[in-house]
Every structure is written in C-alpha cells, then in structure tokens.
Amino acid sequence: MVLAFSLKVVLGSLAFAIFWVLAVFPAVPFLPIGRTAGSLLGAMLMVVFQVLTPEQAYDAIDLPILGLLFGTMVVSVYLEKADMLKYLGNLLSWKSKGAKDLLCRICLISALSSALFTNDTACVVLTEFVLKVARQHNLQPQPFLLALATSANIGSSATPIGNPQNLIIAFQSKISFGSFLSGIILAMLIGVVVNALILLCMYWRLLSIQKDETDAAVDVVAEEDEMIPLKTVWSRDRLRDALSIESSEHKEDLTIRWKVMLWKSCVYLITIGMLIALLMGLNMSWTTITAALALVVLDFKDARPCLEKVSYSLLILFCGMFITVDGFNKTGIPSTLWDFVAPYAQIDHASGIAVLAIVILVLSNLASNVPTVLLLGGQVSTLAAANSGADKKKAWLILAWVSTVAGNLSLLGSAANLIVCEQARKNPHLGYTLSFWSHLKFGVPSTLIVTAIGLVLIR
C-alpha cells in the first residue's frame, strides 16, 4: 500500500501516537485517563480526522473476538466461584519438598492454568497463594513471583484462549483450536522447563538458604482450651431435644454440601465439554458463549454479581484498539515500513525467521503485543502465503509465540507481569515490590533463550 494523502498520514499518525502513549504509559501527567479511555480517544480521533468514516470504524470492530473474550471471562468467573483455581493453588504446598520444588510447581501450575483460563486470570488468583506459601516458609518471594508471571506468559501461548493476542490470531488465521494447540504445545512445555531451569540457576543460592520456619508463624496465636465445669444437669427430655436439633442441622449441612459438590462437578463438566468442542473445531466464539450461558443457567441465581466481575473495560479497550490500529493501517505507514523488512523476514530459512522474531520482539515491547499482532498479522500472513499454506500457518504461530513470550522481557511487557507486581505490593501480610531492574535481569536472558528454542520447535 502506498502512503495515503499526506494530511491523512499526519493526522492518523498523531491519533495512533496518542493511543500508543496512553496504552504504554496509562498514567501520564498531562492526560491521566488510562488505557481504556486512551483507546477510545484514539478511535474517536481517527473518525474526527477523517482517516476512517464512521461506517469503517464500526466495521473495524471484530465482534467474534469480543464474543470469545467475553465468553472466556464468564467461564473463568464461574470456575473461580467453583474453587478451581483455589484447588490449583493448594497444589503449591501439597507435600512440598523445599523451595526448589515449590518454584518448579509454580512454573508448571501457572503455565497450565494460563493456557486454560488466560494468563491474567491465573496471575490474579495465584499471586495470593504464592505469597502465602512463601510467607509460611519464610522464603524470599522474588524468584517465585518471577516464576509465576513468566510461566503464565509462556503457558498462555499454547491455546487461542490463553491471551488476547492469540484470540486475534486464531480468528484472523482461521487456525482451529486443536491445530493451534498441536503447533505450539511442545514449544510451550520445553519453554516452561527451560524458564524454570534459568530461574533455578540464577537463584540457586537464595533457594538453598534454610530458614527457621517458626519465624514465619509469629502471628499465629495458640489458644488454650479451658475446661468449663458442667454445672447444669440436663434432663432426659432436654438432652433428647438437643440431640434431635443437632441431628437435623447435620442433615441440612450434609444436603447443602452435596448440592455444592454437584454444582461444582457440573461446572467442571461444562468447561471440559467446551474444551472438547473447541478441539473438535466448532466455532470458538459461539462455543464459549454457549458454555458461559449454560453456567449462568446452571447457577440458578441472579447472574448480575458474576457478570459484574467481567472486565468490560477490556472489551471497550479492544473496540477502541481495533478502530485505532485499522485507521493507522489506512495511512499506509505500517505497510511501507514492512516493505523494507519483508525481503529479510522470509520464514523459509533460519535467518529470515530470526529477523521476523526480532521485529516482533521489539514491537511487542514498544507498542504492546496486541497492537503488534493487529499491525503485523496480515503482512506476515501475506508474505508467508507466497511460499506455501504450511508456511502461512507457521508464520501465524511464530507471531503468536514471539509476541507472547516477548512479554517476559521487562516488567512493562505484559499485563500479567504488572498484575503480579501490583498484587504483591498491595498484599496486607507481605507487601513486596518486584522492581523493574530485578525483572529485567532475569527477563532478558530468559526471553531470548526461550524464544529461540520455541522457534525451532514450532510446527
């Protein structure tokens, strides 16, 4: 695409620059309105500056992606209500064999839960459990928080529902859930193992320190039972009534417990059914929405409290982002810049894959991974399709893998990293700040090594 009319180029670039600044730095002093409002502002400016017509702006919004995102968020809410992630959290301390064993468990559980429930959801829930276990064993939380955030990002790369950019890739590429999973699963598993090994190497001495676990339990107050002499003599009738009341209450508690267990089992079965349907190649958006509504009906309660937990601001953010990025593409700047890179980014040889990976890695950390996928998706696909259909699919999977793992490079590279950092800082019992430089020191080597290994294994 040639560059559009020069005024449209300038105004479209200005609108995208405003969106980019607010997306990357949501609390800028001169306009602290946040990411969601920033995306809407960018979208509005694209229409006001006549880079897009109102009709083109509405057409730019991808409703199937929004439907899939909404459905997965509702399913995640009900899974959390059914204590699914709580059970996963309990596995962290179950028969633990020390700090190194705990770190490996965090890597595995974080990766698997992120692939099924999205990386942001897994980090929101599991951060509390990680801090709790670290506090109980009087352990330095830094390596465990890094394990949680980085493994969540790597694990989310394996499925189309693992993170937002994969949702976009799955719909634009028309790659089925099963094909997406089979293409990246090996790279994801090896990547999680390698990431854990790097963590163990960097923090081996810290993880080997044996501390007195009794120091971590200072706040636990033991209460002694007092023997209260029985001064009242119960009559037979009163004793019989008391036993009868106790028996009826026990039966009621047992009935309620069985109902809760049955409801939880149904939630898990519906979720498993949804995953099977996705693996069978059914429409991803309608499958997840159907599962979400089945859970709403099964709950047999007012769904408003659960639906209020859905991140509607994220859905609005995506709407604005779709419009803003589409307007920026209309200026012709992305395609013009891509024309310079394209001859060196052919995926039919190793050097071309390396150049493509570097471009995705840099853009994902400068412009965030979702806008990067929206900007590069069509260009990468068109370039690879010139060789073969297999290369086209591989190009989409490389884009999914690199843009996701790129989030581990720095603390600002992924929303999952920021969630872990904020959750740890605000924890009432163990407020801990994961610094930018401590994350970068681990993130750079881990990201480069894991990304390179994955590029070799993606099929």
Side-chain angles (χ1 to χ4, degrees):
M1 180 189 294
V2 296
L3 287 175
F5 179 65
S6 58
L7 181 61
K8 183 182 290 188
V9 172
V10 173
L11 294 178
S13 301
L14 176 62
F16 183 78
I18 293 173
F19 156 76
W20 179 83
V21 170
L22 295 175
V24 178
F25 309 103
V28 289
F30 61 87
L31 198 61
I33 60 176
R35 288 189 177 92
T36 300
S39 71
L40 289 179
L41 178 61
M44 182 271 293
L45 290 176
M46 287 293 180
V47 176
V48 171
F49 292 158
Q50 297 184 354
V51 180
L52 294 174
T53 65
E55 292 75 18
Q56 289 175 325
Y58 284 124
D59 291 339
I61 299 174
D62 201 322
L63 291 178
I65 292 177
L66 295 180
L68 177 55
L69 191 58
F70 172 79
T72 53
M73 284 192 288
V74 173
V75 172
S76 296
V77 168
Y78 279 95
L79 283 171
E80 184 177 352
K81 187 178 178 181
D83 295 330
M84 180 65 174
L85 292 173
K86 180 180 178 181
Y87 297 145
L88 289 175
N90 290 337
L91 290 175
L92 296 178
S93 57
W94 181 67
K95 293 184 179 180
S96 179
K97 296 181 179 179
K100 301 181 186 69
D101 175 59
L102 175 61
L103 186 137
C104 294
R105 289 188 189 207
I106 291 173
C107 290
L108 180 61
I109 293 172
S110 174
L112 294 179
S113 57
S114 296
L116 298 177
F117 312 124
T118 75
N119 53 354
D120 294 351
T121 301
C123 288
V124 167
V125 177
L126 291 178
T127 300
E128 180 182 348
F129 291 102
V130 169
L131 291 172
K132 180 180 177 182
V133 174
R135 178 168 171 264
Q136 286 176 343
H137 297 85
N138 202 20
L139 297 170
Q140 173 67 255
Q142 179 177 326
F144 305 106
L145 293 175
L146 286 172
L148 173 61
T150 55
S151 297
N153 287 327
I154 297 171
S156 69
S157 66
T159 63
I161 61 175
N163 55 59
Q165 63 268 20
N166 279 12
L167 298 179
I168 296 171
I169 290 171
F171 272 99
Q172 290 187 352
S173 66
K174 309 299 181 184
I175 299 175
S176 67
F177 188 96
S179 184
F180 197 106
L181 178 65
S182 63
I184 294 187
I185 185 65
L186 182 60
M188 185 274 278
L189 293 174
I190 300 298
V192 171
V193 172
V194 171
N195 187 63
L197 290 175
I198 297 173
L199 276 167
L200 287 172
C201 292
M202 289 189 67
Y203 294 98
W204 185 269
R205 183 175 299 177
L206 184 63
L207 296 171
S208 300
I209 297 175
Q210 299 294 328
K211 293 187 178 181
D212 186 5
E213 295 185 8
T214 57
D215 293 339
V218 174
D219 55 76
V220 179
V221 180
E223 298 182 355
E224 297 182 358
D225 296 331
E226 297 181 359
M227 299 299 296
I228 302 176
L230 185 63
K231 297 181 179 179
T232 306
V233 180
W234 288 75
S235 65
R236 290 183 178 180
D237 292 339
R238 293 181 66 185
L239 183 60
R240 189 183 302 112
D241 292 341
L243 291 174
S244 177
I245 293 173
E246 184 180 352
S247 177
S248 62
E249 290 178 350
H250 178 71
K251 289 180 180 178
E252 290 178 2
D253 290 343
L254 191 61
T255 303
I256 293 173
R257 196 177 298 120
W258 275 106
K259 286 182 179 179
V260 171
M261 289 181 62
L262 179 61
W263 177 79
K264 288 182 179 180
S265 300
C266 291
V267 171
Y268 301 149
L269 287 174
I270 290 175
T271 305
I272 293 172
M274 179 192 77
L275 295 175
I276 293 174
L278 292 173
L279 287 171
M280 291 174 61
L282 299 183
N283 184 281
M284 287 189 287
S285 181
W286 284 107
T287 297
T288 54
I289 292 176
T290 301
L293 291 177
L295 293 174
V296 169
V297 174
L298 178 67
D299 197 28
F300 207 68
K301 295 178 183 176
D302 185 359
R304 183 168 50 187
C306 290
L307 293 179
E308 286 176 349
K309 293 183 179 180
V310 172
S311 179
Y312 295 102
S313 62
L314 180 62
L315 299 177
I316 297 172
L317 170 67
F318 265 71
C319 291
M321 191 184 301
F322 286 139
I323 297 171
T324 305
V325 173
D326 188 60
F328 188 53
N329 280 328
K330 286 284 195 298
T331 65
I333 292 177
S335 59
T336 302
L337 294 176
W338 177 252
D339 289 340
F340 288 105
V341 179
Y344 310 101
Q346 298 284 345
I347 67 166
D348 55 351
H349 51 83
S351 60
I353 294 177
V355 170
L356 178 61
I358 292 172
V359 171
I360 298 171
L361 192 67
V362 172
L363 278 179
S364 294
N365 279 275
L366 289 178
S368 187
N369 41 29
V370 175
T372 296
V373 167
L374 289 172
L375 287 171
L376 290 182
Q379 308 288 353
V380 172
S381 173
T382 302
L383 178 66
N387 296 325
S388 67
D391 280 348
K392 181 179 178 180
K393 176 186 173 184
K394 184 176 181 179
W396 281 112
L397 294 180
I398 289 174
L399 180 60
W401 171 254
V402 180
S403 65
T404 301
V405 178
N408 287 341
L409 187 70
S410 72
L411 189 62
L412 303 176
S414 166
N417 300 342
L418 296 175
I419 288 171
V420 171
C421 182
E422 284 300 301
Q423 292 277 100
R425 186 177 63 84
K426 294 179 180 179
N427 185 272
H429 301 294
L430 185 62
Y432 179 81
T433 300
L434 184 64
S435 70
F436 177 86
W437 295 110
S438 63
H439 190 288
L440 190 69
K441 187 174 78 171
F442 167 75
V444 171
S446 173
T447 302
L448 295 178
I449 294 172
V450 171
T451 299
I453 292 174
L455 292 174
V456 177
L457 297 174
I458 286 177
R459 296 185 293 111

